[in-house]
Amino acid sequence: MKKLLTITTALALLGAVPYSVQASPESDQKTFREHFYKRFPDTSKDDFVNGVYSIDSASREQWEEIEEFPPYELNIEKGKSLFNTPFKNGKTYASCFENDGIGIAQNYPYYDTKSGQVKTLELEINECRTANGEEPLKYAKGALADISAYMHYTSRGNVIDVEIPNDPGAQAAYESGKRHFFAKRGQLNMSCADCHVYNPGNKVRADILSPALGHVSHFPVYRSKWGGLGTLHRRYGGCNKQVRSKPFKPQSEEYRNLQYFHSYMSNGLEMNGPGARK
Amino acid sequence: MRQSASMISTVASAAVLMGTLAIMPATTSAAEEMTVIEQGKELAYDRKLGNCLACHQVGEGSLPGNIGPPLVAMKARFPDRAKLRAQIWDSTASNPNSIMPPFGKYKIVSEDDIDKIVEYIYTL
């Protein structure tokens, strides 16, 4: 009964009114965080970046052992070497990014006023390739995920700093991501929030659900289930499929907007990617 | 048409014959031999159909989730069986924000199968 009450209160704050009342991103962010702080008073605020391990001490130990010999180490090395290999025209990835691409992942995604869309790091890795006459890479896994893993690795410890500028396009992108996050979807009729806002800590069968706060900090992620590294949008697709909803394409506008909202909620937390998960 | 119908009836009578002749009931594995309650249990446990164990403790099913309340004492909690069916058919009618899938409304399982699931759940 008590649990139901808390859920209802949270819904009133977050889910039930996401479209009618247009709360500002700042106030959304505050409500979002307070919800998790209250639900997990024993988790330190900085620890939410560790996903399910921030709220479940039993699985945390196993995970800490895994992190001693990280399964993604090879991916970082591959990514670094790809990153530093010049294109046919002699230029490198570094030439496309601020600070030569080092330690910048915390500023993504951002709203690009010129193109009027949300840009992610992965999207810009491919834009860099095509601008230099190379073929784009696949977005869910493989070489692009490796490069992203390396770039994220150089950003470890930096604080997530996603901006929603006072621009109608940026606000609309944010609202669209927020809508995706809270809307029921698929034949099973569940929202992202159903699992990761209202039920973190609870079990779906044997899986403990992670809190959405801190979700984006450690991507790309090495998952034992995947037997490899995958990007955040690969995960989005998997979570859409679980509820029998047709997944969107990685780097589709829909997922970039979702990432915009999702990342903004975690502003101020430290980047700790790449990560390892079940 | 007639031929295939007679074939079916032959097969069916053969099955009946075998059923009556069999020494041990366990050797007849046809679905018809399962009680409705047993069928309901299978449907409730099936990951692609009811998958109730994802969220509920249901009988002795292994590794139950705990998003929803344990399904126990159902007769006491649902003296009106129709209310139980309604909860499974469309959980969002009583709670629009319910995470429980609307099994009937969204045709996740058939009407017949919902009846069977109700039969089973009502024994818990």
Side-chain angles (χ1 to χ4, degrees):
Chain A
M1 206 49 221
K2 193 160 162 235
K3 187 178 133 208
L4 279 176
L5 261 177
T6 341
I7 290 173
T8 324
T9 325
L11 274 166
L13 287 173
L14 288 163
V17 284
Y19 330 116
S20 46
V21 183
Q22 287 222 344
S24 71
E26 294 80 22
S27 77
D28 284 348
Q29 193 190 59
K30 189 157 175 284
T31 316
F32 198 84
R33 289 174 184 194
E34 296 294 329
H35 168 76
F36 292 103
Y37 296 160
K38 221 155 127 192
R39 189 158 175 136
F40 301 106
D42 297 337
T43 296
S44 95
K45 292 178 182 174
D46 300 333
D47 205 46
F48 283 103
V49 294
N50 294 319
V52 71
Y53 310 114
S54 69
I55 58 170
D56 180 52
S57 52
S59 54
R60 184 172 186 123
E61 266 175 49
Q62 263 182 313
W63 167 70
E64 281 176 347
E65 273 171 32
I66 291 172
E67 284 280 358
E68 275 173 35
F69 301 97
Y72 49 75
E73 212 154 45
L74 214 65
N75 298 95
I76 297 176
E77 276 169 36
K78 273 196 262 174
K80 181 177 182 180
S81 119
L82 287 167
F83 184 85
N84 290 322
T85 307
F87 302 126
K88 284 185 232 81
N89 67 6
K91 289 209 180 150
T92 59
Y93 287 104
S95 70
C96 299
F97 294 98
E98 245 173 70
N99 199 36
D100 294 337
I102 303 303
I104 58 165
Q106 71 281 355
N107 300 324
Y108 287 85
Y110 73 97
Y111 183 77
D112 175 39
T113 37
K114 262 190 254 125
S115 62
Q117 56 171 330
V118 171
K119 294 278 187 91
T120 62
L121 186 61
E122 284 84 7
L123 191 80
E124 288 201 332
I125 291 172
N126 260 349
E127 284 182 354
C128 178
R129 293 181 60 83
T130 47
N132 286 292
E134 304 282 333
E135 290 291 315
L137 298 168
K138 291 229 166 77
Y139 279 121
K141 55 183 175 183
L144 181 125
D146 291 341
I147 297 167
S148 172
Y150 167 66
M151 294 179 78
H152 276 88
Y153 184 67
T154 68
S155 314
R156 272 192 179 185
N158 295 352
V159 162
I160 301 174
D161 186 15
V162 171
E163 281 176 36
I164 318 282
N166 200 356
D167 174 301
Q171 302 280 333
Y174 171 85
E175 287 298 329
S176 136
K178 179 175 161 185
R179 207 175 310 126
H180 187 109
F181 190 85
F182 285 103
K184 299 260 190 193
R185 65 186 61 248
Q187 193 188 24
L188 301 188
N189 198 44
M190 293 181 202
S191 68
C192 312
D194 279 338
C195 285
H196 297 294
V197 175
Y198 310 124
N199 283 291
N202 288 341
K203 284 192 270 185
V204 197
R205 206 72 199 252
D207 288 327
I208 300 174
L209 291 164
S210 57
L213 180 61
H215 254 174
V216 300
S217 72
H218 52 275
F219 277 83
V221 135
Y222 186 98
R223 273 189 88 193
S224 29
K225 190 184 158 200
W226 290 337
L229 202 72
T231 57
L232 182 61
H233 291 199
R234 183 178 181 191
R235 190 29 129 155
Y236 287 167
C239 279
N240 274 167
K241 276 191 251 174
Q242 286 194 73
V243 300
R244 300 184 191 162
S245 167
K246 190 168 177 277
F248 292 83
K249 289 218 167 72
Q251 298 305 324
S252 57
E253 187 180 15
E254 185 80 10
Y255 280 172
R256 279 183 282 120
N257 290 346
L258 173 59
Q259 186 182 347
Y260 195 37
F261 165 78
H262 203 188
S263 304
Y264 181 74
M265 291 298 112
S266 293
N267 260 3
L269 289 172
E270 276 188 12
M271 305 287 285
N272 60 343
R277 292 290 184 272
K278 269 207 297 180
Chain B
M1 205 47 216
R2 181 175 291 164
Q3 201 184 353
S4 66
S6 76
M7 259 177 68
I8 287 170
S9 75
T10 321
V11 171
S13 51
V16 170
L17 255 178
M18 281 170 65
T20 38
L21 289 178
I23 303 158
M24 290 196 300
T27 56
T28 63
S29 58
E32 296 118 26
E33 303 291 332
M34 282 170 72
T35 65
V36 169
I37 290 173
E38 282 166 347
Q39 291 176 45
K41 180 176 178 178
E42 231 167 58
L43 292 162
Y45 280 19
D46 191 312
R47 277 179 164 274
K48 296 213 164 79
L49 294 165
N51 199 17
C52 315
L53 282 166
C55 300
H56 296 281
Q57 179 198 313
V58 191
E60 72 278 15
S62 64
L63 301 173
N66 62 358
I67 290 176
L71 300 183
V72 291
M74 294 322 282
K75 279 189 191 126
R77 279 152 89 186
F78 290 87
D80 181 359
R81 183 192 287 248
K83 286 226 173 89
L84 175 60
R85 192 183 195 280
Q87 166 70 27
I88 299 169
W89 197 84
D90 180 15
S91 51
T92 66
S94 60
N95 170 12
N97 293 311
S98 179
I99 188 177
M100 177 163 155
F103 289 96
K105 189 178 177 192
Y106 279 22
K107 301 189 174 5
I108 299 163
V109 296
S110 70
E111 296 295 321
D112 249 18
D113 288 353
I114 290 189
D115 289 333
K116 291 173 180 166
I117 291 173
V118 170
E119 286 299 324
Y120 166 60
I121 299 293
Y122 218 49
T123 66
L124 298 173

